[in-house]
């Protein structure tokens, strides 16, 4: 069942999402060779609690940490550890936080130092596909319209779109209806309605779409061990159109990146 949110509830969810956005921005300065994902995880937990929020992943389904940290061929749900990052790695950081009883949940894949051009292209295309999908999240469209748009955009570059892992509705629980696959057929699936809030999150592999689940119950890697990228935003339907609740602004500010990619998805300026 899709749980519609009022405009007031959506604004509360925006605050939850911004806690995550700020956390990822803080971490952006810390992702570098020699740093461990467990160190980043500790920083994130402290930062989230300082914002008056609660880590959204810690203990959820018995997950042991604040962040899902997935380097290189890991797709999602990687468990932080003491292995130092090295030059040329990429690192997906997926973060959740609870504020005002609502979840924020989004992700960004960071380069660690200088990365190979082909790896940078994977990151660029995956992030671009996120916005291609968000554009289709509007009243009257269906789940398949978002998935189709993401799939077509990424597959035309020769990348594999993961099938077993999907985006989802978001609210007072982490996973609500509907599931939001990154593949599909136009006009299929549940219809989008005013007040929906979802997490759209393309997961794109440089090679095969196939994945492997590891014995720890969490870690998922590409079957061919090639890199995978993951980007995620929280989006509401407001006045029939997609409205971003999360932002990569804090990441870009930390890294000195200029971008107006989010502008078309904001009906009013972002309040920082």
């Amino acid at each position: 069942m899709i749980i519609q949110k009022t405009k007031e509830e959506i604004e509360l969810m925006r605050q939850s999402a911004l806690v995550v956005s700020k956390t990822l921005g803080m971490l952006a300065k810390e992702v570098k060779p020699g740093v461990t994902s467990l160190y980043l995880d500790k920083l994130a937990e402290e930062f989230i609690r300082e914002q008056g929020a609660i880590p959204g992943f810690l203990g959820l389904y018995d997950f042991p940490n604040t962040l899902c940290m997935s380097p290189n061929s890991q797709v999602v749900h990687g468990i932080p550890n003491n292995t130092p990052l090295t030059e040329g790695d990429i690192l997906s950081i997926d973060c959740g936080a609870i504020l005002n009883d609502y979840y924020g949940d989004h992700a960004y894949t960071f380069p660690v130092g200088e990365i190979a051009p082909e790896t940078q292209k994977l990151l660029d295309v995956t992030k671009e596909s996120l916005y291609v999908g968000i554009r289709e999240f509007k009243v009257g469209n269906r789940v398949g319209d978002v998935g189709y748009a993401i799939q077509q955009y990424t597959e035309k570059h020769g990348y594999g779109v993961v099938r077993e892992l999907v985006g989802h509705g978001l609210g007072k629980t982490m996973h609500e209806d509907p599931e939001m696959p990154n593949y599909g057929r136009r006009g299929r699936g549940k219809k989008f309605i005013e007040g929906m809030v979802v997490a759209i999150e393309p997961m794109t592999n440089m090679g095969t779409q196939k994945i492997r689940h590891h014995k720890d119950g969490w870690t998922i890697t590409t079957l061919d061990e090639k890199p995978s990228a993951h980007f995620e935003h929280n989006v509401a339907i407001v006045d029939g159109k997609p409205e971003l609740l999360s932002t990569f602004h804090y990441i870009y500010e930390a890294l000195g990146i200029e971008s107006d990619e989010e502008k078309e998805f904001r009906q009013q300026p972002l309040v920082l």
Side-chain angles (χ1 to χ4, degrees):
M1 182 182 71
I2 292 171
I3 302 173
Q4 291 175 268
K5 278 77 175 180
T6 65
K7 288 189 176 180
E8 291 75 19
E9 289 174 316
I10 287 170
E11 288 310 308
L12 290 176
M13 292 194 70
R14 192 191 303 274
Q15 296 307 311
S16 306
L18 287 177
V19 170
V20 178
S21 300
K22 291 174 183 177
T23 304
L24 292 174
M26 177 274 294
L27 293 170
K29 298 178 182 178
E30 304 292 336
V31 176
K32 50 196 170 188
V35 168
T36 70
S37 54
L38 201 56
Y39 170 74
L40 297 174
D41 186 76
K42 182 175 182 294
L43 290 181
E45 180 178 356
E46 291 172 353
F47 186 87
I48 290 169
R49 295 190 189 280
E50 286 169 2
Q51 309 305 304
I54 300 168
F57 294 170
L58 185 60
L60 182 69
Y61 311 126
D62 295 324
F63 188 73
N65 293 88
T66 293
L67 302 173
C68 294
M69 310 278 274
S70 308
N72 302 321
S73 64
Q74 290 188 26
V75 183
V76 287
H77 302 162
I79 299 173
N81 59 46
N82 277 315
T83 303
L85 299 173
T86 61
E87 186 86 12
D89 285 346
I90 56 173
L91 180 68
S92 163
I93 302 183
D94 195 352
C95 179
I98 307 168
L99 184 69
N100 305 315
D101 296 324
Y102 287 97
Y103 277 89
D105 165 31
H106 44 286
Y108 193 92
T109 301
F110 294 89
V112 181
E114 293 293 324
I115 63 174
E118 60 268 24
T119 308
Q120 184 62 57
K121 182 183 176 184
L122 173 70
L123 268 56
D124 293 342
V125 168
T126 305
K127 181 156 66 69
E128 289 160 8
S129 78
L130 171 60
Y131 296 108
V132 168
I134 290 171
R135 235 168 252 129
E136 300 297 320
F137 182 59
K138 54 191 175 184
V139 166
N141 273 8
R142 293 180 180 270
V143 166
D145 296 312
V146 171
Y148 176 87
I150 292 171
Q151 179 183 7
Q152 292 300 305
Y153 192 83
T154 52
E155 286 186 349
K156 76 179 182 182
H157 289 90
Y159 298 140
V161 179
V162 176
R163 301 299 200 268
E164 296 90 338
L165 304 161
V166 298
H168 50 89
L170 190 68
K172 288 189 174 181
T173 57
M174 173 66 77
H175 298 108
E176 294 184 357
D177 280 341
E179 290 190 343
M180 297 289 295
N182 298 302
Y183 64 95
R185 296 176 65 182
R186 286 201 178 280
R188 298 293 181 90
K190 293 185 178 180
K191 185 177 283 189
F192 299 139
I193 56 177
E194 183 73 14
M196 285 182 69
V197 180
V198 299
I200 298 176
E201 49 178 320
M203 290 156 271
T204 306
N205 302 340
M206 186 177 285
T208 180
Q209 69 190 40
K210 295 180 180 179
I211 59 174
R212 182 167 72 91
H213 295 259
H214 290 244
K215 291 181 180 178
D216 62 16
W218 289 104
T219 306
I220 297 171
T221 57
T222 58
L223 193 62
D224 57 11
E225 295 296 318
K226 291 183 178 180
S228 182
H230 175 213
F231 290 86
E232 178 181 15
H233 267 312
N234 301 154
V235 197
I237 294 182
V238 177
D239 298 331
K241 299 181 292 188
E243 170 76 9
L244 272 184
L245 304 183
S246 53
T247 180
F248 294 152
H249 167 82
Y250 299 101
I251 295 171
Y252 295 159
E253 186 176 54
L255 300 179
I257 297 171
E258 292 188 13
S259 172
D260 62 356
E261 66 192 18
E262 298 178 1
K263 187 177 180 181
E264 67 176 287
F265 306 110
R266 297 198 186 281
Q267 297 178 36
Q268 45 192 311
L270 178 68
V271 178
L272 301 174

